[in-house]
Every structure is written in C-alpha cells, then in structure tokens.
Amino acid sequence: MSIPVTSLIKFLFIFLGILLLIFILALLTPKIATKVDKIAAKLFKSKSEKYDDGPYKVKSIYDLPEQEKNNDTGEMENGEK
C-alpha cells in the first residue's frame, strides 16, 4: 500500500496553504478591527447623545465601583465618610 510522492507533495502544499491563510488572517485582524471601530464610532456617535449610559456602561473587572454621596452632608449612604 504505497502512497505516491505526488499525493504527499500535494497534501503538503495544501496544508501549508491553510496555515499561511491562518497566519495572514491573524496579522490582518487587528488592522481590520481598528477600521471597523472607527466606522462604528462615526455611526453611533450621534445616537449615543440621546441617552446616558449610566449603570449600563461596560466596565472592566478592575474598575472600582462609584460611591454615591448624600448631597446634604457629604456622607455615603451607609453613614461612613
């Protein structure tokens, strides 16, 4: 059960072509993402002025929560300063 050398070479070039395609896509993805972000920022800029994000704003897990203060005394809601 011998496999011809031409079939092995053909398989090798197809395999390397797929790997090359993945490599090129990995290099181009950040550049494409920056262009998409710029286009999205232009499209949604006028729409974002209509409402305030408030509690629905996306935050990182490392962002500290905002502490609400009472307007009268400057104390926090639980009584601490």
Side-chain angles (χ1 to χ4, degrees), residues 48-57:
S48 66
E49 295 172 358
K50 295 180 181 176
Y51 62 91
D52 183 26
D53 290 337
Y56 303 110
K57 187 175 181 182

Side-chain angles (χ1 to χ4, degrees), residues 9 15 20 26 29 34-35 39 50 63 81:
I9 292 174
F15 183 74
L20 182 65
T29 299
T34 55
K35 291 180 182 178
I39 293 170
K50 295 180 181 176
D63 290 340
K81 280 193 173 186

Side-chain angles (χ1 to χ4, degrees), residues 9-52:
I9 292 174
K10 183 179 176 182
F11 177 76
L12 175 69
F13 281 120
I14 291 172
F15 183 74
L16 290 177
I18 292 171
L19 289 178
L20 182 65
L21 180 66
I22 292 170
F23 179 74
I24 290 172
L25 287 175
L27 290 178
L28 294 179
T29 299
K31 294 178 183 178
I32 294 170
T34 55
K35 291 180 182 178
V36 169
D37 285 341
K38 288 180 183 177
I39 293 170
K42 290 179 184 177
L43 291 176
F44 295 118
K45 185 176 182 181
S46 62
K47 294 180 182 178
S48 66
E49 295 172 358
K50 295 180 181 176
Y51 62 91
D52 183 26

Side-chain angles (χ1 to χ4, degrees), residues 52-64:
D52 183 26
D53 290 337
Y56 303 110
K57 187 175 181 182
V58 177
K59 297 180 182 179
S60 170
I61 60 171
Y62 300 109
D63 290 340
L64 294 175

Side-chain angles (χ1 to χ4, degrees), residues 65-79:
E66 295 178 12
Q67 298 176 349
E68 298 180 12
K69 293 186 177 182
N70 189 351
N71 291 337
D72 298 336
T73 60
E75 295 179 352
M76 303 225 190
E77 288 183 358
N78 61 359

